[in-house]
Coordinates of all heavy atoms in Angstrom, one line a residue:
E59 N -34.0 -119.2 -13.0 CA -34.3 -120.5 -12.5 C -33.3 -120.9 -11.4 O -32.1 -121.1 -11.7 CB -34.2 -121.5 -13.7 CG -34.8 -122.9 -13.4 CD -34.7 -123.8 -14.6 OE1 -33.6 -124.1 -15.1 OE2 -35.7 -124.1 -15.1
E60 N -33.7 -120.8 -10.2 CA -32.8 -121.1 -9.0 C -32.9 -122.6 -8.6 O -34.0 -123.0 -8.2 CB -33.1 -120.1 -7.9 CG -32.9 -118.7 -8.2 CD -32.9 -117.8 -7.0 OE1 -32.1 -118.1 -6.1 OE2 -33.7 -116.8 -7.1
L61 N -31.8 -123.3 -8.7 CA -31.8 -124.7 -8.4 C -31.0 -125.1 -7.2 O -30.7 -126.2 -7.0 CB -31.3 -125.5 -9.6 CG -32.0 -125.2 -11.0 CD1 -31.2 -125.9 -12.1 CD2 -33.4 -125.7 -10.9
G62 N -30.6 -124.1 -6.4 CA -29.8 -124.4 -5.2 C -28.3 -124.2 -5.6 O -27.6 -123.3 -5.3
S63 N -27.7 -125.3 -6.2 CA -26.3 -125.3 -6.5 C -26.0 -124.5 -7.8 O -24.9 -124.2 -8.1 CB -25.8 -126.7 -6.7 OG -26.5 -127.4 -7.7
D64 N -27.1 -124.3 -8.6 CA -27.0 -123.6 -9.8 C -28.1 -122.6 -10.0 O -29.1 -122.7 -9.3 CB -27.0 -124.5 -11.0 CG -25.7 -125.1 -11.3 OD1 -24.7 -124.4 -11.4 OD2 -25.6 -126.4 -11.6
A65 N -27.9 -121.6 -10.8 CA -28.9 -120.6 -11.2 C -28.8 -120.4 -12.7 O -27.7 -120.2 -13.2 CB -28.8 -119.3 -10.4
Y66 N -29.9 -120.4 -13.4 CA -29.9 -120.1 -14.9 C -30.8 -118.9 -15.2 O -31.9 -118.9 -14.7 CB -30.3 -121.4 -15.6 CG -29.3 -122.5 -15.6 CD1 -29.5 -123.5 -14.6 CD2 -28.2 -122.5 -16.5 CE1 -28.6 -124.6 -14.6 CE2 -27.3 -123.6 -16.4 CZ -27.5 -124.6 -15.5 OH -26.6 -125.6 -15.4
L67 N -30.3 -118.0 -15.9 CA -31.1 -116.9 -16.4 C -31.5 -117.2 -17.8 O -30.8 -117.7 -18.6 CB -30.3 -115.6 -16.3 CG -29.1 -115.3 -17.2 CD1 -29.5 -114.7 -18.6 CD2 -28.1 -114.3 -16.5
Y68 N -32.8 -116.8 -18.1 CA -33.4 -116.8 -19.4 C -33.7 -115.4 -19.8 O -34.5 -114.8 -19.1 CB -34.6 -117.7 -19.4 CG -34.4 -119.2 -19.1 CD1 -34.0 -119.6 -17.8 CD2 -34.5 -120.2 -20.1 CE1 -33.8 -121.0 -17.5 CE2 -34.2 -121.5 -19.8 CZ -33.9 -121.9 -18.6 OH -33.7 -123.2 -18.3
G69 N -33.1 -115.0 -20.9 CA -33.4 -113.6 -21.3 C -33.4 -113.4 -22.8 O -33.1 -114.3 -23.6
N70 N -33.8 -112.2 -23.2 CA -33.8 -111.9 -24.6 C -32.6 -111.1 -25.0 O -32.2 -110.2 -24.3 CB -35.1 -111.1 -25.0 CG -36.3 -111.9 -24.8 OD1 -36.3 -113.1 -24.9 ND2 -37.5 -111.2 -24.7
L71 N -32.0 -111.4 -26.2 CA -30.9 -110.7 -26.7 C -31.3 -109.3 -27.2 O -32.3 -109.1 -27.8 CB -30.3 -111.5 -27.9 CG -29.0 -111.1 -28.4 CD1 -27.9 -111.3 -27.4 CD2 -28.6 -112.0 -29.6
V72 N -30.6 -108.3 -26.8 CA -30.9 -106.9 -27.1 C -30.1 -106.5 -28.3 O -28.9 -106.9 -28.4 CB -30.6 -106.0 -25.9 CG1 -30.8 -104.5 -26.2 CG2 -31.4 -106.4 -24.7
G73 N -30.7 -105.7 -29.2 CA -29.9 -105.1 -30.3 C -29.9 -105.9 -31.5 O -29.2 -105.6 -32.5
R74 N -30.6 -107.0 -31.5 CA -30.7 -107.9 -32.7 C -32.1 -107.8 -33.3 O -33.1 -107.9 -32.5 CB -30.3 -109.3 -32.4 CG -30.3 -110.2 -33.6 CD -29.8 -111.6 -33.2 NE -29.7 -112.5 -34.4 CZ -30.7 -113.3 -34.7 NH1 -31.8 -113.3 -34.0 NH2 -30.6 -114.1 -35.8
A75 N -32.3 -107.7 -34.6 CA -33.6 -107.7 -35.2 C -34.4 -109.0 -34.8 O -33.8 -110.1 -34.7 CB -33.5 -107.6 -36.7
A76 N -35.6 -108.9 -34.5 CA -36.4 -110.0 -34.1 C -36.6 -110.9 -35.3 O -36.4 -110.6 -36.5 CB -37.8 -109.5 -33.7
E77 N -36.9 -112.2 -35.0 CA -37.1 -113.2 -36.0 C -38.3 -112.8 -36.8 O -39.1 -111.9 -36.5 CB -37.3 -114.6 -35.4 CG -36.1 -115.0 -34.5 CD -34.8 -115.3 -35.3 OE1 -34.9 -115.4 -36.6 OE2 -33.8 -115.4 -34.7
A78 N -38.5 -113.5 -37.9 CA -39.6 -113.2 -38.8 C -41.0 -113.2 -38.1 O -41.9 -112.4 -38.4 CB -39.7 -114.2 -40.0
E79 N -41.1 -114.1 -37.1 CA -42.4 -114.2 -36.4 C -42.5 -113.2 -35.3 O -43.4 -113.2 -34.5 CB -42.6 -115.6 -35.9 CG -41.6 -116.1 -34.9 CD -40.5 -116.8 -35.5 OE1 -40.2 -116.5 -36.7 OE2 -39.8 -117.6 -34.8
G80 N -41.4 -112.4 -35.1 CA -41.4 -111.4 -34.1 C -40.9 -111.9 -32.7 O -41.1 -111.2 -31.7
V81 N -40.4 -113.1 -32.6 CA -39.9 -113.6 -31.4 C -38.4 -113.5 -31.3 O -37.7 -114.1 -32.1 CB -40.3 -115.1 -31.2 CG1 -39.8 -115.6 -29.8 CG2 -41.8 -115.2 -31.3
P82 N -37.8 -112.8 -30.3 CA -36.4 -112.6 -30.2 C -35.7 -113.9 -29.7 O -36.4 -114.7 -29.1 CB -36.2 -111.5 -29.3 CG -37.4 -111.5 -28.4 CD -38.5 -112.0 -29.3
N83 N -34.4 -114.0 -29.9 CA -33.7 -115.2 -29.4 C -33.8 -115.2 -27.9 O -33.6 -114.2 -27.2 CB -32.2 -115.1 -29.8 CG -32.0 -115.7 -31.2 OD1 -32.4 -116.8 -31.4 ND2 -31.5 -114.9 -32.1
V84 N -34.0 -116.4 -27.3 CA -33.9 -116.6 -25.9 C -32.5 -117.1 -25.6 O -32.1 -118.1 -26.1 CB -35.0 -117.5 -25.4 CG1 -34.8 -117.8 -23.9 CG2 -36.4 -117.0 -25.6
I85 N -31.8 -116.4 -24.7 CA -30.5 -116.8 -24.3 C -30.5 -117.4 -22.9 O -31.2 -116.9 -22.0 CB -29.5 -115.6 -24.2 CG1 -29.5 -115.0 -25.6 CG2 -28.1 -116.0 -23.8 CD1 -28.8 -115.8 -26.7
I86 N -29.8 -118.5 -22.7 CA -29.8 -119.2 -21.4 C -28.3 -119.1 -20.9 O -27.4 -119.4 -21.6 CB -30.2 -120.7 -21.4 CG1 -31.5 -120.8 -22.2 CG2 -30.2 -121.3 -20.0 CD1 -31.9 -122.3 -22.4
A87 N -28.1 -118.7 -19.7 CA -26.8 -118.6 -19.1 C -26.8 -119.0 -17.7 O -27.7 -118.7 -16.9 CB -26.2 -117.1 -19.3
R88 N -25.7 -119.6 -17.2 CA -25.5 -119.9 -15.9 C -25.0 -118.8 -15.1 O -24.0 -118.2 -15.5 CB -24.6 -121.2 -15.7 CG -24.6 -121.7 -14.2 CD -24.0 -123.1 -14.1 NE -22.5 -123.1 -14.4 CZ -21.8 -124.1 -14.5 NH1 -22.4 -125.3 -14.3 NH2 -20.5 -124.1 -14.7
A89 N -25.7 -118.4 -14.0 CA -25.3 -117.3 -13.2 C -24.8 -117.7 -11.8 O -24.9 -118.9 -11.5 CB -26.5 -116.3 -13.0
D90 N -24.3 -116.8 -11.0 CA -23.9 -117.1 -9.7 C -25.1 -117.4 -8.8 O -26.0 -116.6 -8.6 CB -23.2 -115.8 -9.1 CG -22.7 -116.0 -7.6 OD1 -22.9 -117.1 -7.1 OD2 -22.1 -115.1 -7.1
P91 N -25.1 -118.7 -8.3 CA -26.4 -119.1 -7.6 C -26.6 -118.3 -6.3 O -27.7 -118.2 -5.8 CB -26.1 -120.6 -7.3 CG -24.7 -120.8 -7.4 CD -24.2 -119.7 -8.4

């Protein structure tokens, strides 16, 4: 998500068992815009 002054990445955590419904955790992190 590029917002000009900021950029946020949305991604899935690797190496962790998926939740019961099969949906992995979504991680949000601020990146270099």
Side-chain angles (χ1 to χ4, degrees):
E59 190 178 65
E60 296 191 53
L61 305 174
S63 60
D64 275 316
Y66 290 95
L67 67 86
Y68 293 73
N70 291 339
L71 193 60
V72 176
R74 181 175 183 268
E77 304 291 344
E79 64 271 21
V81 179
N83 276 302
V84 174
I85 301 295
I86 309 171
R88 188 163 69 186
D90 180 356

